């Protein structure tokens, strides 16, 4: 059974993005294991003089490195990813590279009709940056609009069209994860490229 790390891009306990990941955790429990993490334990990113990262970041990096893939559920604030998620990704690329060559699936839920489309586009740019170098699941937007009414009292998605779409996406992600493991040369290059980023001369 594959093991994924699920990252909600907010630490709000009533987040519909957290609810979406919790639904997936239960709905696919017989096929994959999804471990949810809390970004609220991480400090705001800053460049440490000795290039060290906080213990909380190191622990999260270890979990990501050991996982088969990562699922990120991002909210959308002002057409962008939340500051907490952006800060966490900066830590996870600061002289460490757990996401380099790691298969990543992006999903999102929002109160409005667009379902985090702009935030997902920005998140793709971040994950594709030289500092991160993740393997992004292609052509895989999954967005839940009007998310306050998208779940029943048991936390299940009520729109069966969305459920069917998510089922197919998870099946494809399973295949994508297996495919990336065979790209040994590309994986090695991604990790090397991420490790070679010169943080000393990046803009402050």
């Amino acid at each position: 059974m594959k093991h994924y790390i699920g990252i909600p891009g907010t630490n709000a306990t009533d987040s519909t993005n957290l609810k979406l990941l919790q639904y997936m955790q239960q709905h696919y429990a017989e096929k994959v294991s999804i471990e949810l993490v809390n970004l609220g334990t991480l400090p705001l990113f800053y460049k440490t003089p000795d290039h060290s990262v906080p213990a909380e970041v190191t622990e999260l990096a270890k979990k990501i490195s050991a996982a088969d893939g990562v699922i990120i559920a991002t909210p959308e604030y002002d057409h962008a990813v939340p500051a907490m998620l952006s800060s966490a990704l900066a830590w996870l690329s600061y002289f460490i590279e757990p996401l380099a060559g790691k298969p990543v699936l992006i999903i999102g839920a929002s109160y409005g009709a667009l379902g985090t489309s702009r935030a997902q586009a920005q998140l793709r740019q971040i994950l594709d940056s030289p500092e991160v170098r993740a393997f992004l699941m292609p052509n895989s937007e999954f967005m839940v609009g009007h998310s306050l009414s998208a779940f029943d009292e048991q936390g299940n998605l009520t729109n069966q069209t969305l459920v069917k779409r998510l089922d197919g996406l998870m099946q494809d992600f399973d295949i994508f994860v297996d495919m990336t493991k065979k790209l040994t040369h590309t994986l090695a290059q991604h990790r090397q490229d991420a490790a070679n980023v010169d943080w000393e001369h990046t803009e402050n």
Side-chain angles (χ1 to χ4, degrees), residues 81-169:
V81 299
M84 174 179 291
L85 178 56
S86 178
S87 175
L89 292 173
W91 275 127
L92 291 168
S93 59
Y94 186 65
F95 291 96
I96 55 175
E97 51 278 343
L99 285 165
K102 185 66 62 176
V104 177
L105 175 64
I106 299 173
I107 59 176
S110 73
Y111 297 171
L114 295 180
T116 75
S117 60
R118 295 180 179 91
Q120 288 195 35
Q122 184 194 40
L123 182 54
R124 284 184 174 276
Q125 289 184 315
I126 295 172
L127 292 170
D128 195 40
S129 68
E131 296 88 349
V132 184
R133 293 284 185 176
F135 273 167
L136 301 176
M137 173 75 175
N139 302 317
S140 60
E141 284 187 331
F142 181 80
M143 296 170 288
V144 178
H146 304 295
S147 58
L148 285 176
S149 59
F151 301 90
D152 63 20
E153 294 182 358
Q154 288 72 44
N156 298 308
L157 277 174
T158 57
N159 186 321
Q160 292 306 304
T161 299
L162 277 180
V163 172
K164 184 177 180 180
R165 187 179 304 166
L166 186 58
D167 288 346
L169 185 60

Side-chain angles (χ1 to χ4, degrees), residues 54-98:
E56 299 92 336
V57 177
T58 300
E59 184 62 28
L60 177 55
K62 288 179 180 177
K63 289 183 178 182
I64 291 173
S65 294
D68 294 294
V70 175
I71 303 171
I72 302 178
T74 181
E76 183 172 305
Y77 301 155
D78 301 327
H79 292 180
V81 299
M84 174 179 291
L85 178 56
S86 178
S87 175
L89 292 173
W91 275 127
L92 291 168
S93 59
Y94 186 65
F95 291 96
I96 55 175
E97 51 278 343

